[in-house]
Amino acid sequence: MSDDFARVDFLQIARYFLSKLKGQWKTMFKRIGLLVLANLAIFLMLSVVLTVVQMVFGVNFGTMSGKSLNIGTLFIFSMVIGFTGSFISLLMSKQMAKMTMGLQMIDTNNPQPGLEAYLVDVIARQSAKAGIPMPEVGIYDGEPNAFATGPSASHALVAVSTGLLQIMNRDEVEAVLGHELSHVKNGDMVTQTLLQGVLNTFVVFASRLVGWVVDRQILRNEDDAPGMGYYVTSIVLDIALGFLAGMVVAAFSRYREFHADAGSARIMGSEQPMINALRRLGGVEANELPGSVKGFGISGGIGSLFATHPSIEDRIAALENHRY
């Protein structure tokens, strides 16, 4: 009998882990598929924009890397590449978050009694106090975290995880929601998009300018078409400057977090609820959010130049010493 029970227990455990693994693989493939579709949409939009610019304004992008460099054409090309992808990502951010995070959306006009009604009431009060429209509200299964996203304050989304709701008391949950609504009020999503667009433009422009100099002035390529020096240099600088641009975006993200913490303190009327929430988060390890909303969560990776959030200790110190 004991062998039979052991066999049953093993089968039950195996089925449990297989079901969990199946769910994880399904989620992973779903996110990969959405990522591919998003990048395809960006590629198609880039093609359309470049074609329209070329036809309407008579810009010949072939002069970017020929024997004589046309700086104006290169700059226009760099701006199209730099900003188009950033703005498409911003416009798609809310829908991508809903699909990748598996959000359970709440009907803010008719929430279910209990948790849904509580969240809608809190966010409605805080939105009114912050002077912004009521955002969409969602809940998702996951480790303690929350995020805000959307193309504008009037089309925003605030979501909170079940893990966060389970470990925090009401004051702490409301402080976190105030933090996310402060991101919306401060226009952080749009500001980061503009910053990313400017940095993308710089990366594309600088890498191709240096690539042209290496190809034409150093390697003395006299052909009409760009040579290997242009392509190799441009690719290497795209990667190197892309890393530097990522550091700048991450630094801005960390700066924004201090101001969102301060915004939460103003909404709550005290720094203490946000401090308590951060201390609570300091005792757990929050999972990384997807890239589309990574910079707008309550917690994230720390300890590197690419961290989107300051350390919990630095954020608490800033609140306690009013350094924001």
Side-chain angles (χ1 to χ4, degrees), residues 31 96-104 139-141 147 289-290 293:
R31 289 182 176 178
M96 289 292 290
K98 290 179 181 179
M99 298 173 73
T100 58
M101 301 298 293
L103 295 186
Q104 174 189 332
I139 305 174
Y140 66 97
D141 290 326
F147 67 87
L289 293 167
V293 295

Side-chain angles (χ1 to χ4, degrees), residues 3-305:
D3 290 342
D4 292 338
F5 279 121
R7 190 178 300 110
V8 170
D9 288 342
F10 174 78
L11 289 174
Q12 289 176 340
I13 293 171
R15 289 194 189 101
Y16 171 78
F17 281 108
L18 284 173
S19 65
K20 294 286 287 184
L21 187 61
K22 182 180 178 180
Q24 291 174 353
W25 277 98
K26 184 178 180 180
T27 301
M28 183 184 73
F29 280 119
K30 181 179 179 181
R31 289 182 176 178
I32 292 174
L34 290 170
L35 181 63
V36 170
L37 289 175
N39 281 281
L40 180 60
I42 292 173
F43 174 77
L44 292 174
M45 185 58 67
L46 281 172
S47 300
V48 170
V49 173
L50 288 172
T51 301
V52 170
V53 169
Q54 189 164 344
M55 293 176 62
V56 175
F57 298 100
V59 177
N60 181 9
F61 292 115
T63 61
M64 291 190 312
S65 55
K67 290 182 179 180
S68 59
L69 176 65
N70 189 320
I71 295 292
T73 300
L74 176 58
F75 182 70
I76 292 172
F77 173 83
S78 301
M79 284 191 66
V80 171
I81 297 296
F83 280 93
T84 301
S86 296
F87 276 105
I88 291 175
S89 297
L90 176 66
L91 293 174
M92 296 175 61
S93 60
K94 190 163 66 170
Q95 192 59 36
M96 289 292 290
K98 290 179 181 179
M99 298 173 73
T100 58
M101 301 298 293
L103 295 186
Q104 174 189 332
M105 300 307 299
I106 297 174
D107 182 354
T108 55
N109 295 316
N110 187 30
Q112 295 295 316
L115 177 60
E116 289 191 5
Y118 165 71
L119 290 175
V120 169
D121 177 66
V122 170
I123 293 175
R125 285 190 286 104
Q126 291 187 343
S127 298
K129 193 169 186 179
I132 59 175
M134 177 72 179
E136 293 185 56
V137 182
I139 305 174
Y140 66 97
D141 290 326
E143 297 301 317
N145 219 323
F147 67 87
T149 190
S152 67
S154 58
H155 295 87
L157 163 69
V158 173
V160 61
S161 74
T162 53
L164 186 141
L165 294 170
Q166 289 168 0
I167 69 166
M168 292 191 176
N169 62 37
R170 289 194 171 216
D171 279 349
E172 293 163 355
V173 169
E174 291 176 21
V176 169
L177 293 174
H179 172 100
E180 300 306 334
L181 287 169
S182 295
H183 277 309
V184 177
K185 176 181 173 61
N186 297 339
D188 288 338
M189 286 74 81
V190 175
T191 306
Q192 178 161 313
T193 297
L194 292 173
L195 175 62
Q196 188 70 65
V198 170
L199 291 171
N200 290 345
T201 299
F202 166 75
V203 170
V204 174
F205 183 84
S207 63
R208 280 147 186 79
L209 177 61
V210 175
W212 184 87
V213 170
V214 170
D215 189 46
R216 301 292 177 176
Q217 304 301 315
I218 297 177
L219 300 180
R220 300 294 181 181
N221 175 28
E222 298 295 336
D223 295 338
D224 292 333
M228 187 60 68
Y230 173 83
Y231 292 113
V232 172
T233 303
S234 296
I235 291 172
V236 170
L237 287 179
D238 274 340
I239 296 172
L241 294 176
F243 274 110
L244 293 177
M247 293 180 190
V248 174
V249 172
F252 174 71
S253 179
R254 294 193 296 271
Y255 166 81
R256 274 190 351 240
E257 289 303 312
F258 288 119
H259 284 267
D261 288 343
S264 173
R266 284 189 288 271
I267 289 174
M268 297 294 293
S270 168
E271 292 87 0
Q272 199 58 48
M274 191 67 224
I275 290 173
N276 293 341
L278 289 170
R279 284 177 175 153
R280 185 87 65 179
L281 282 173
V284 297
E285 184 174 345
N287 286 350
E288 286 288 311
L289 293 167
S292 59
V293 295
K294 184 176 180 181
F296 304 101
I298 188 64
S299 65
I302 60 174
S304 75
L305 292 173

